[in-house]
Amino acid sequence: MAGVRLPIQTFPLQAAVTEPVRPFLHAVIVSGTLHVYVSQTDRGELVFGASVDPFAAYLLIRGLKTFALRIERQNSNAQALAEFLEAHPRVEAVHYPGLPRHWEHDVAKHQMRGFGGVVSFEIRGDLDAAARVVDACAIPHLAVSLGGVESLIEQPAIMSFYELTTEERLEIGIKDNLIRYSVGIEDADDLIADLAQALDRLG
């Protein structure tokens, strides 16, 4: 819920462990590397990873050319969305490390160049109310993944954590009214307007 940490926006020696090449690079491939740091002053970095096929490698290289630009846009869009949600009367809580009220904001400022493209928020309502908001959004696709250039939205209680009981979900902070929004590179004003009209459906 605190956002997605990527090597391009994380200071690796201070924070890196396992960093997959997320679908942000290209929406149709998943690759990755494993970095093991013995210490910050030691030259003991080990890199492990399976070989990808030629076409996947081509897509990876192609995606890297615009990766930084897309991450910057996702970061700024997510920040704008989080600030909008934080001020909305129908939103109970917003989980995004770019907000000063977030409990890991200071850590994120120290470790990261950007705060990520995933915003989670809790509406004032129950499971059905959250479903109405998700269904009313016109721009994001309904999907569990972290997404690519397109925004995605999901309801963790009945999607990514559906196999857990209500009690098990609550133990790890997954409430019935939680919505996860993986922000894409669409226009920020469009994303906010779309989410605003969806929240208005709550009455």
Side-chain angles (χ1 to χ4, degrees):
M1 294 194 304
V4 178
R5 191 180 68 196
L6 297 168
I8 196 170
Q9 59 188 15
T10 303
F11 303 110
L13 285 178
Q14 287 87 349
V17 279
T18 303
E19 301 291 0
V21 178
R22 302 286 190 180
F24 289 106
L25 278 177
H26 196 282
V28 297
I29 61 168
V30 176
S31 181
T33 60
L34 172 65
H35 300 274
V36 180
Y37 294 96
V38 176
S39 73
Q40 292 188 12
T41 57
D42 201 323
R43 297 178 61 187
E45 178 184 345
L46 304 175
V47 181
F48 304 91
S51 298
V52 296
D53 65 87
F55 185 65
Y58 158 73
L59 292 176
L60 190 60
I61 292 170
R62 189 183 72 171
L64 281 170
K65 292 178 180 179
T66 57
F67 187 37
L69 294 174
R70 288 183 282 116
I71 288 296
E72 288 176 9
R73 180 62 174 262
Q74 285 174 317
N75 285 339
S76 63
N77 279 359
Q79 185 72 39
L81 209 62
E83 290 173 2
F84 160 76
L85 288 165
E86 188 178 42
H88 200 285
R90 293 185 178 91
V91 174
E92 194 170 87
V94 183
H95 308 286
Y96 186 69
L99 297 175
R101 292 184 182 180
H102 190 275
W103 63 286
E104 286 190 328
H105 178 69
D106 291 337
V107 174
K109 281 200 306 182
H110 176 70
Q111 290 185 349
M112 303 171 72
R113 300 181 182 91
F115 296 111
V118 177
V119 179
S120 295
F121 60 100
E122 300 164 25
I123 63 160
R124 297 189 187 279
D126 57 12
L127 185 72
D128 290 337
R132 291 201 302 274
V133 172
V134 169
D135 291 341
C137 286
I139 294 178
H141 298 281
L142 183 63
V144 173
S145 176
L146 298 174
V149 295
E150 305 91 356
S151 291
L152 303 178
I153 195 167
E154 70 127 339
Q155 225 177 323
I158 57 173
M159 294 177 70
S160 50
F161 291 87
Y162 73 93
E163 76 281 2
L164 301 182
T165 65
T166 301
E167 292 73 22
E168 289 172 333
R169 283 191 288 100
L170 290 175
E171 285 181 8
I172 57 174
I174 307 297
K175 300 179 183 179
D176 286 347
N177 61 343
L178 180 70
I179 295 171
R180 190 182 77 171
Y181 200 118
S182 177
V183 186
I185 65 170
E186 301 93 344
D187 183 81
D189 290 339
D190 289 344
L191 295 176
I192 290 172
D194 181 47
L195 196 50
Q197 64 81 25
L199 288 166
D200 286 344
R201 304 287 183 95
L202 294 176

